[in-house]
Amino acid sequence: MLIIVSMSGRNFALIAGPSSINFARSMAKQMECEVVDVEFKEFPDGENYFRIVSDVRGKNVLIVQSLYPPVDQHLIQLLFLSKKVTELGGFVYAICPYLGYSRQHREYLSGEVVSLKVVSHLMASAGVRRLLTVDIHNVEGLGLFTFPAFSVSAIPVIAEYVQRNEDLSDAIIVSPDFGSSTRVENFSKLVNRPYYVFEKERDKVTGEVKVKALQLDLEGKDAYIVDDMISSGGTVVKAARALKSFGVKRIVAVCVHPVLAAGAVEKMFEAGVNKIIASNTIENKYGIVDVSSTVVNYLMLLG
Ligand code: R5P
């Protein structure tokens, strides 16, 4: 069957999942597409209830649902919605601005569950036919999906925000680990400032992070630590301590996904971070850069 996706977005209908109400609203406004009427409630025992009220038969239905904590709750909500839309004759695109479990896309220690693979199978069995996410932790993860899965980068939009709102005359850009270096190199080119890559080691059992960096003279500089996500804050904390010891004056932690597990923000501020700038793939007070246009533009191209 040939699926035609209209360039104007008029063949899309959109569901604002409970975890991404604002992101979805912003997408719907840009795409001028129909918003599917869904009744949702959470029972006192934590179970979810959904009812799809609008007619979705024959439509390409974008279910916008970011998979940030509580990850399992947000995942099950996506699966419920997808299953019902499929039963009602819709074609499901899962739009997961943040794709939880993407850090476990392979077995690091033998016997570990490859969580992302299980997520991919659950999505497929609930009827998901396309997945679009933002800055997946590692693009290798996309290969685990049995249906077309894509990741788009929000770095250009975030870089533009930083350039517009920050004084970058004394700025250096820092990648806290090698894994983020391509992303950070791209960011540094966009804002036209030099960048440094630190080396990070994470203990695979305890999760403890060690950051190594050559002795640098960064007296009086403003450092922008750029990463795909901040979860426990451990990576940023280690990088911030090293930067302070090199004489850095001001530190801004920039990330796409502000997962910010309990205590992360406090730890980072204690380590000398002055500000956090993040995108709205996760809806919290630090997710201030609206990157929904990145997703919309990509959908328009998918054709
Ligand atoms: C790791 O490779 C990622 O790019 C991030 O650096 C990491 O996931 C951040 O996690 P945390 O904040 O827990 O150190």
Side-chain angles (χ1 to χ4, degrees):
M1 184 178 64
L2 178 67
I3 295 148
I4 299 169
V5 178
S6 151
M7 296 297 277
S8 69
R10 68 175 180 275
N11 288 336
F12 284 120
L14 179 149
I15 291 181
S19 69
S20 291
I21 303 281
N22 295 323
F23 197 98
R25 274 198 195 128
S26 178
M27 280 181 66
K29 206 161 148 200
Q30 293 165 64
M31 298 175 78
E32 296 179 359
C33 71
E34 176 197 347
V35 177
V36 175
D37 189 7
V38 175
E39 280 175 19
F40 164 60
K41 61 187 169 196
E42 202 182 312
F43 291 110
D45 59 5
E47 291 185 358
N48 298 280
Y49 166 95
F50 289 101
R51 178 172 167 249
I52 313 270
V53 183
S54 313
D55 180 12
V56 293
R57 180 163 302 279
K59 293 179 184 164
N60 295 309
V61 182
L62 308 172
I63 304 179
V64 189
Q65 173 80 344
S66 198
L67 303 184
Y68 58 85
V71 186
D72 299 345
Q73 161 89 332
H74 290 152
L75 175 62
I76 203 95
Q77 290 171 340
L78 170 66
L79 300 173
F80 282 13
L81 284 166
S82 176
K83 187 73 184 164
K84 197 65 214 172
V85 169
T86 302
E87 284 170 4
L88 294 171
F91 183 97
V92 174
Y93 285 65
I95 309 293
C96 301
Y98 171 64
L99 186 62
Y101 286 118
S102 57
R103 281 181 293 178
Q104 192 79 44
H105 70 285
R106 65 183 176 90
E107 242 184 84
Y108 296 93
L109 298 174
S110 77
E112 283 178 347
V113 172
V114 180
S115 316
L116 192 60
K117 190 160 138 192
V118 180
V119 168
S120 101
H121 289 173
L122 289 170
M123 284 189 189
S125 67
V128 173
R129 307 282 290 278
R130 300 280 185 275
L131 168 75
L132 181 52
T133 186
V134 177
D135 287 279
I136 189 167
H137 179 65
N138 188 320
V139 287
E140 279 174 23
L142 297 172
L144 295 174
F145 290 83
T146 52
F147 48 85
F150 311 91
S151 174
V152 283
S153 179
I155 288 293
V157 178
I158 298 172
E160 195 196 326
Y161 175 92
V162 169
Q163 200 157 32
R164 230 180 324 115
N165 293 281
E166 298 281 307
D167 173 5
L168 296 180
S169 46
D170 258 336
I172 55 150
I173 314 301
V174 174
S175 174
D177 58 28
F178 193 70
S180 271
S181 59
T182 310
R183 186 177 289 116
V184 174
E185 183 183 358
N186 185 18
F187 183 95
S188 91
K189 280 185 186 149
L190 291 164
V191 298
N192 203 18
R193 299 303 306 163
Y195 75 100
Y196 298 86
V197 179
F198 288 2
E199 243 181 84
K200 181 177 89 177
E201 262 173 36
R202 188 189 287 274
D203 188 302
K204 290 191 175 56
V205 178
T206 63
E208 207 212 321
V209 172
K210 282 191 195 133
V211 165
K212 283 192 258 166
L214 297 172
Q215 208 56 39
L216 300 166
D217 179 12
L218 300 175
E219 199 60 46
K221 298 278 184 206
D222 296 328
Y224 289 75
I225 304 172
V226 178
D227 211 345
D228 59 334
M229 68 170 81
I230 303 173
S231 184
S232 69
T235 303
V236 168
V237 164
K238 290 288 158 68
R241 287 195 185 132
L243 288 164
K244 278 284 165 200
S245 74
F246 302 153
V248 160
K249 186 176 66 184
R250 182 167 175 268
I251 300 175
V252 180
V254 180
C255 71
V256 180
H257 310 297
V259 179
L260 302 175
V265 172
E266 294 73 13
K267 273 196 292 188
M268 288 192 286
F269 285 142
E270 267 167 36
V273 171
N274 301 88
K275 188 174 181 181
I276 300 166
I277 297 176
S279 90
N280 63 341
T281 59
I282 295 181
E283 304 204 346
N284 61 31
K285 84 181 229 205
Y286 295 99
I288 49 171
V289 186
D290 183 2
V291 299
S292 58
S293 61
T294 309
V295 171
V296 170
N297 292 340
Y298 198 79
L299 282 169
M300 296 301 169
L301 287 176
L302 270 184

